[in-house]
Amino acid sequence: DLYTLASPRLINISARVQVGTGGNILIAGFVIGGTTSKTVLIRASGPALVPFGVMGTLPDPQLQLYSDFTVLESNDGWGGDAQIAATAATVGAFSWGTSATPDSAILVTLPPGAYTAQVSGANSDAGIALVEIYDVP
C-alpha cells in the first residue's frame, strides 16, 4: 500500500507492563486487514530496558506468536540476528546492539487475520517487559 501525509497509517504499537505467570502474562492482540500479507517485527524487551533506567525487568522474555490457539512462531533470545537488528533500525525501534541478549524478537510475514503476541518469563520468572509490534515497509 502507498501511504502519504494525506493517508496516514499506524506503524507501531507497544505496551510496557509487569509480566507475571499463568494468566498474568503480557498479551498484545493485533489484526492485519486487507487482502495481502504483511511483514511485522514483534519484539519483547526485558534486559534491553535497563539502560533506560527501568528496574525489575523480566530477565529472559519468551515471545510467542499465536493465531487462535496455534503457536505460529516462538523466540527465546534473539541471538544478535543481523536481519532483526537491521529491520529494527529501519522501522525506528531503539537499538538492542549487535550482540546476543535474552530479549526476544520475531520477524514474520503474515496473511490477513487476528493474532496475539504473548510475552512470558522463559523460566516462569516475572518482571517488567515491553512488547512492540512494528509494520515493516
Side-chain angles (χ1 to χ4, degrees):
D1 295 331
L2 179 62
Y3 295 95
T4 66
L5 291 176
S7 61
R9 64 186 174 99
L10 181 67
I11 58 169
N12 163 251
I13 189 162
S14 63
R16 190 188 92 173
V17 301
Q18 175 72 33
V19 176
T21 59
N24 295 316
I25 65 169
L26 170 54
I27 301 173
F30 64 99
V31 175
I32 296 175
T35 57
T36 58
S37 293
K38 187 70 188 147
T39 301
V40 294
L41 173 64
I42 307 166
R43 303 195 322 168
S45 300
L49 300 175
V50 172
F52 297 100
V54 179
M55 305 305 291
T57 60
L58 186 62
D60 190 3
Q62 177 176 316
L63 177 61
Q64 293 184 305
L65 174 63
Y66 281 83
S67 174
D68 291 322
F69 297 101
T70 304
V71 177
L72 301 178
E73 300 273 343
S74 183
N75 183 254
D76 179 16
W78 73 294
D81 182 283
Q83 185 178 16
I84 298 266
T87 302
T90 298
V91 297
F94 71 93
S95 176
W96 285 351
T98 56
S99 28
T101 65
D103 305 287
S104 297
I106 296 170
L107 179 62
V108 63
T109 300
L110 299 168
Y115 301 92
T116 58
Q118 300 188 13
V119 181
S120 59
N123 300 305
S124 297
D125 41 10
I128 295 172
L130 173 74
V131 66
E132 304 165 283
I133 303 163
Y134 290 92
D135 178 5
V136 178

